Amino acid sequence: MMKRYEYLMKQLAVEEMLLLKGQGKTEEEISHIMEQKFKSDGYWEYFNTVSTNETDKILNNISDEMNEFETKDMKYLSALNKKWRLPLRLAKLVWLKAVEYGENQNNYVRSQTMTTKHGVVYMIYAKALQRYLEIITLNSNGLPEGAKILWRSLYELIVIGDFISTHDEKCAESYMREYNSSNRYEWAKNFLPVNKKKRYVSFSDIEKNFILRVEDKEWNIAYEESSRVLHAYSSTTFNRIGADFGEKLVGRTNVGIADTLINGAILILKLFEKLRDMNDNEDCGMEFQILSNLIDKLIDVSLKIDEGN
């Protein structure tokens, strides 16, 4: 069977030959003209004409095609957000309160004595909150694989913030000095029990003492999994989140939403705890407990829905 675009290009050649015939050219002359045409740039002339015509058809039909797609897309998103409404709202509430309580803590410290360490950890906390908002947004749009990739960034931020919070001012100052450098983790070299002759400091050198990872190896497994999703690993190419290789390879899904909503919230709480421990603000202790209670509720409702998938 002739391919569609090949057929269209041959149609153009036929039309040109009919035009030459109408001009009184003989079959031999027409054959020679067409042969010479294809020896030069005739093929690409037809190719460009067909591609331009087909592009124009698509653009002229953009309203109908996009309306059809958007109607189906909105229908799916509506069903997804109906199903995950409570976990998504709880995750947004956790984010909102984490922002509010972080600002409260920062304002308290600024009214006392602002240290470099607090300033650095708070800036990392703010960036982490931005990542969590993006994770919520991607999940609410049925894109949990993208959320998984951002969760990797969130995890790294929390590990770095946790590390700096457990060291003295010099560590925070070292981190700040690298703000305009291409070095990734060299700022931590003097605060790690690593061979000083080692050329580079890796993230894993810093991560080794992260309390969540030490207490539960599942965090390290989750981080490794998110790294595989980010990179072109075979395992996560053929085992994608929500992909159905029999029916749908790309698009939205409601599979895997609970993971990053829950784990992201727990990480945010962990760094807020460090902000609390660095200062003597009694209100921060209460706010930490409220956040913890909200996250417990988020975990409960998310897992119930996830188990029903």
Side-chain angles (χ1 to χ4, degrees), residues 1-11 43 50:
M1 182 180 291
M2 189 180 293
K3 295 178 181 177
R4 178 168 179 266
Y5 297 126
E6 181 183 350
Y7 171 78
L8 290 173
M9 289 170 67
K10 286 189 174 182
Q11 283 293 102
Y43 173 84
V50 170

Side-chain angles (χ1 to χ4, degrees), residues 260-277:
T260 50
L261 288 183
I262 292 172
N263 290 341
I266 293 172
L267 289 175
I268 292 294
L269 182 68
K270 185 62 186 173
L271 195 53
F272 184 79
E273 180 182 23
K274 291 298 182 179
L275 285 172
R276 179 201 67 183
D277 293 346

Side-chain angles (χ1 to χ4, degrees), residues 44-291:
W44 293 109
E45 180 183 322
Y46 290 149
F47 183 93
N48 290 330
T49 299
V50 170
S51 66
T52 299
N53 289 344
E54 291 300 298
T55 302
D56 288 343
K57 287 179 184 177
I58 292 171
L59 290 173
N60 290 335
N61 194 42
I62 187 171
S63 293
D64 292 340
E65 190 160 349
M66 291 310 299
N67 285 342
E68 181 181 353
F69 167 77
E70 288 168 356
T71 297
K72 291 179 180 178
D73 198 42
M74 291 303 295
K75 184 177 180 181
Y76 186 88
L77 278 176
S78 178
L80 183 149
N81 280 278
K82 182 178 180 181
K83 180 177 182 178
W84 287 92
R85 183 174 184 271
L86 185 53
L88 288 168
R89 285 171 68 86
L90 279 168
K92 289 174 185 175
L93 183 60
V94 167
W95 176 83
L96 193 64
K97 289 302 174 184
V99 171
E100 177 187 333
Y101 295 162
E103 289 175 348
N104 290 347
Q105 178 68 351
N106 193 50
N107 289 335
Y108 170 79
V109 173
R110 292 178 68 176
S111 70
Q112 307 296 312
T113 303
M114 184 66 140
T115 63
T116 300
K117 183 164 79 169
H118 173 85
V120 167
V121 174
Y122 180 70
M123 290 299 291
I124 294 173
Y125 177 75
K127 187 175 180 180
L129 284 171
Q130 182 65 30
R131 286 291 171 273
Y132 190 52
L133 176 61
E134 292 162 356
I135 286 168
I136 295 169
T137 303
L138 283 170
N139 277 319
S140 64
N141 280 279
L143 301 169
E145 196 166 75
K148 192 86 168 179
I149 292 170
L150 285 181
W151 183 86
R152 180 180 186 269
S153 172
L154 172 59
Y155 178 83
E156 291 179 352
L157 284 165
I158 302 303
V159 169
I160 298 301
D162 178 85
F163 180 84
I164 292 171
S165 72
T166 56
H167 288 78
D168 59 22
E169 288 289 304
K170 290 181 179 180
C171 181
E173 290 166 0
S174 179
Y175 179 82
M176 277 194 69
R177 282 195 296 271
E178 294 293 322
Y179 82 96
N180 201 28
S181 167
S182 60
N183 293 333
R184 297 182 66 190
Y185 305 114
E186 300 313 297
W187 56 268
K189 195 168 191 175
N190 293 327
F191 309 95
L192 287 166
V194 296
N195 187 343
K196 296 298 185 288
K197 293 181 180 179
K198 185 178 178 180
R199 187 173 181 184
Y200 297 112
V201 174
S202 67
F203 175 73
S204 61
D205 291 327
I206 299 172
E207 185 196 18
K208 285 175 183 175
N209 294 317
F210 183 47
I211 190 65
L212 288 180
R213 180 183 181 277
V214 171
E215 293 177 348
D216 188 348
K217 65 180 182 180
E218 292 298 321
W219 285 96
N220 191 44
I221 293 172
Y223 176 68
E224 290 176 357
E225 182 183 337
S226 67
S227 296
R228 290 194 295 273
V229 171
L230 171 63
H231 299 295
Y233 284 78
S234 175
S235 60
T236 48
T237 296
F238 293 100
N239 294 286
R240 290 193 23 238
I241 299 172
D244 183 343
F245 289 88
E247 297 181 11
K248 186 175 73 170
L249 284 176
V250 295
R252 305 184 195 276
T253 180
N254 65 30
V255 176
I257 290 176
D259 290 349
T260 50
L261 288 183
I262 292 172
N263 290 341
I266 293 172
L267 289 175
I268 292 294
L269 182 68
K270 185 62 186 173
L271 195 53
F272 184 79
E273 180 182 23
K274 291 298 182 179
L275 285 172
R276 179 201 67 183
D277 293 346
M278 284 192 298
N279 304 289
D280 60 352
N281 183 1
E282 293 181 0
D283 284 349
C284 193
M286 179 63 74
E287 290 168 344
F288 171 83
Q289 189 57 51
I290 293 170
L291 269 181

